[in-house]
Amino acid sequence: QVRLTESGGGSVQAGGSRRLSCSLLGITGRRYCVGWFRQAPQMPGKQREALAAIETGGDTPVYSDSVKGRFTVSQDNDKDTVYLEMNSLKPEDTAMYYCAAAYSPGTCPLDSYRYYGYWGQGTQVTVSS
């Protein structure tokens, strides 16, 4: 059974940094894409913005233009954990952050959150000005 658990959220001042962790359970047997997404308060329904993704066991992450250069995704295979390092945070980065997983098609997609079928419960990040 696949289970993802996020941690590391909290409050941070603008310009600061935060590292989120996504603990993976049951991600075995084949390569998965693990992605990071966020849902800002004003986003309707289950719409989520894709931020970054990495293939388990791979070394080529992908990023959305909105976070490229500020956010870094990485993984620790020994700990079955994927990280999202967030730097130069802005108030508009305030959101619920989720990690999600799906079988890897080779290149991890970021064009739609709907590709990812396994989701964590999220961790809130609040950036104050």
Side-chain angles (χ1 to χ4, degrees), residues 69-89:
R70 292 195 302 129
F71 291 10
T72 302
V73 62
S74 62
Q75 61 185 320
D76 184 330
N77 293 322
D78 292 337
K79 295 182 178 179
D80 292 330
T81 302
V82 173
Y83 302 99
L84 183 69
E85 182 75 34
M86 306 184 294
N87 297 313
S88 302
L89 284 165

Side-chain angles (χ1 to χ4, degrees), residues 19-74:
R19 188 177 80 161
L20 305 181
S21 300
C22 176
S23 177
L24 311 174
L25 182 65
I27 303 289
T28 60
R30 59 181 294 175
R31 290 203 171 188
Y32 283 75
C33 287
V34 178
W36 283 98
F37 300 79
R38 67 186 177 189
Q39 185 175 31
Q42 66 271 21
M43 297 179 78
K46 290 190 174 182
Q47 184 177 351
R48 293 170 183 179
E49 177 189 7
L51 304 176
I54 192 167
E55 186 182 53
T56 56
D59 58 5
T60 308
V62 292
Y63 297 95
S64 68
D65 289 342
S66 64
V67 302
K68 193 177 296 183
R70 292 195 302 129
F71 291 10
T72 302
V73 62
S74 62

Side-chain angles (χ1 to χ4, degrees), residues 37 43-50 100 109-119:
F37 300 79
M43 297 179 78
K46 290 190 174 182
Q47 184 177 351
R48 293 170 183 179
E49 177 189 7
L110 284 182
D111 54 343
S112 175
Y113 68 92
R114 293 185 177 89
Y115 180 81
Y116 292 77
Y118 302 103
W119 289 83

Side-chain angles (χ1 to χ4, degrees), residues 8-11 18 20 39 41 93-97 122-127:
S11 297
R18 200 83 184 179
L20 305 181
Q39 185 175 31
D93 292 316
T94 294
M96 183 71 78
Y97 284 72
T123 187
Q124 176 70 34
V125 174
T126 301
V127 184

